[in-house]
Amino acid sequence: MITSLKIQNYAIIRKVEIEFDERLNIITGETGAGKSIILGALQLIMGQRADSSSLFKKDEKCIVEAVFKNYPQEINAVLSEYDFDLDSELIIRREIAASGKSRAFVNDSPAKLKQLQTLSALLVDLNSQFEVTSIQQKKFQLALIDALAENTERFLEYKKGYKELLSLVHERETLQSLEGQQLKEYDYLKFQLNEIEEAQLTDDEQESLESEQSLLEKSEDLIHLMQETSFALSDGENAIIDRLRDILNKWNSYADLREDLQEGVLKLTDISELLEDFNRGIVDIQSQLDTDPGRLDEVSSRLNVIYNLLRKHQVQDTAALLSIKEDMHQKLQAFDNKTERIKTIDKDIEALRKNLYSKAHQMSTVRNAVFKKLEDEINAKLTQLAMATAEIKVMNELSEELNPDGVDQIEIHFKANKGAEFLPIRKVASGGESARLMLALKSTVAEAMSLPTMIFDEIDAGVSGEVAQRMGAILMDLSQHHQLICITHSPQVASRAVKHFFVYKTDNQDFTETLVKVIEGEQRVDEIAKMLSGDPPTEFAILNARELLEEQ
């Protein structure tokens, strides 16, 4: 549910903060006061596009932020998919700069409008006279029926199996297509695999060969360096090691005179030993250096083979080539085992189809069992809502083939008048009829179906008196299980509010702005009385308003 909505610098709203109740929230106010602006701000949260023309002050940023709590668990899967943080609260924010640039955030992470639209579809359900689309969709109509029939778990299980069936069918078609052109691809794949196998690559071979090549290319220079170093240390006429021994002998002759001379002898001894050890190491290095040009040719030739394969397959190292080799093996093996695999798939498809047909007919039986109940309850509510001649009828055409919904092809048909033909809702229901039909449908399945926060925008237009009273009662019942936000001009509906918001305009010296306040007690009596008779309200209207509120 939506717990709060903050609007800043939008249309004629400078700054407004609304804290919603978890049940029935009613919004009233005079025509033009800004009720629809609140709805427009909420639609920004739902991913609607906006521009700088909607800013209250053209040089300041517009911010709209909604906070949701206790939202449906399936939303966590969507948040994870988009890499948004999971928290006990879900915060969606839109910002519109003076330049017209718009940014969106979900839990403080940047978001795209498409992501807002996906999330808001699960969070908010907007119903108005002119924007009621979900009841026109077969998918939504089926969900209503499955919820009423307690069929949801069966349907999810069926959908899982149906998805598996489609996967098997696709795999079979793919395997069957491995002919003709695919055979040429098979031959080319086999040629490429042979080429890699003949190279007999190992994981770290490239790195090892490159290191050896570098050493072989510089081996003569290294040998010269070793010879030069050895000559300077021990072989030359004034060899460093010999000179150091002479100096050490002289220090030794005076070592007994002072302690620091003894320390000097020790240090010179260490240096001498280090140089001698270093000189022996030079001999070892010389013995290990390979100057054979034949070996350099071998290494270079081997590296050329590796480099050619890397370029051909557009990878960086031999490990990637080995991975490609394994992938080729699997593809060729799959081709070689094609016939056997197709036979196995055919058996799996046959068994799965049989199982799915059984599940589909079970679902169909359960669905058909609630058609009459749904029709009777909806038609009774339509009568309550001043649509006495209106009726719905659930149509179902069984399919011989499995479809994503089973074997049913369900659609709710509607007629507004006696003698009229039942037709799909999208073809015959007007805006007002669709809105009231939506209310009747959702209130009927509210307990059985997980519905998001529902927003009703003046669905009571054109009704009054007893009919409006009934509509208010239906909304109040519906709010026992779901959060409702209703914009209304009906005093009978407004009197049912758990939390009543009043939208009004105020004129300042330089501008006009819209404000929102919660009204209670006598303020609420006064507002409902004005809705009954005008401003100022009559004494009778005030009495009537009190009666309406006392009846709740």
Side-chain angles (χ1 to χ4, degrees), residues 147-321:
L148 198 62
E150 298 180 358
N151 207 27
T152 305
E153 288 300 321
R154 292 189 196 91
F155 187 34
L156 290 174
E157 190 178 338
Y158 172 85
K159 281 178 70 175
K160 182 179 177 182
Y162 186 76
K163 185 178 179 181
E164 184 182 348
L165 176 65
L166 293 181
S167 177
L168 286 171
V169 170
H170 176 71
E171 185 182 353
R172 189 185 194 283
E173 290 172 350
T174 301
L175 289 172
Q176 284 184 314
S177 70
L178 292 176
E179 297 173 1
Q181 183 62 31
Q182 293 287 330
L183 283 172
K184 294 180 182 178
E185 292 178 13
Y186 173 85
D187 291 339
Y188 181 59
L189 193 65
K190 199 162 189 177
F191 166 77
Q192 287 183 310
L193 177 61
N194 288 338
E195 194 174 39
I196 294 176
E197 286 182 331
E198 285 174 4
Q200 296 183 327
L201 303 170
T202 59
D203 259 341
D204 57 352
E205 182 179 9
Q206 178 188 349
E207 184 180 346
S208 174
L209 288 171
E210 286 172 342
S211 177
E212 185 180 357
Q213 182 188 50
S214 180
L215 184 63
L216 286 168
E217 288 173 344
K218 295 177 176 60
S219 60
E220 288 189 10
D221 292 339
L222 282 171
I223 288 172
H224 289 149
L225 176 61
M226 298 303 106
Q227 289 172 343
E228 181 182 353
T229 304
S230 184
F231 182 82
L233 289 174
S234 62
D235 298 336
E237 191 173 317
N238 292 308
I240 293 170
I241 291 174
D242 293 339
R243 293 284 297 143
L244 188 59
R245 284 198 195 103
D246 290 342
I247 291 171
L248 179 59
N249 289 334
K250 290 177 181 179
W251 275 69
N252 261 322
S253 64
Y254 297 106
D256 294 337
L257 298 178
R258 288 172 59 92
E259 186 177 342
D260 51 0
L261 291 175
Q262 292 176 4
E263 292 177 1
V265 169
L266 292 174
K267 289 177 181 179
L268 285 171
T269 302
D270 288 342
I271 294 170
S272 178
E273 289 175 354
L274 280 172
L275 285 175
E276 289 177 0
D277 185 58
F278 178 62
N279 193 41
R280 286 191 293 272
I282 289 172
V283 176
D284 290 339
I285 293 172
Q286 281 183 282
S287 67
Q288 293 171 18
L289 287 172
D290 190 348
T291 57
D292 180 9
R295 177 55 188 166
L296 179 59
D297 289 342
E298 286 177 16
V299 171
S300 298
S301 176
R302 178 61 176 168
L303 279 172
N304 282 335
V305 170
I306 294 173
Y307 291 152
N308 286 335
L309 287 172
L310 292 175
R311 281 193 297 272
K312 184 172 185 177
H313 295 279
Q314 298 181 337
V315 292
Q316 300 299 317
D317 50 43
T318 51
L321 283 173

Side-chain angles (χ1 to χ4, degrees), residues 5 7 10-13 16 18 20 26-43 126 455-458 460 485-490 494 500-505 513-517 527 531:
L5 178 66
I7 307 168
Y10 177 70
I12 58 172
I13 295 177
V16 160
I18 305 173
F20 292 105
I26 295 292
I27 301 174
T28 64
E30 292 182 2
T31 301
K35 300 185 295 297
S36 61
I37 295 173
I38 295 172
L39 194 60
L42 189 57
Q43 286 175 315
L126 176 59
I455 300 174
F456 293 95
D457 181 20
E458 298 188 14
D460 49 13
I485 301 172
C486 302
I487 298 174
T488 182
H489 285 291
S490 167
H500 190 157
F501 297 94
F502 180 64
V503 181
Y504 62 100
K505 286 196 295 189
E513 66 174 313
T514 287
L515 295 171
V516 181
K517 65 180 179 180
E527 166 63 6
M531 295 172 74

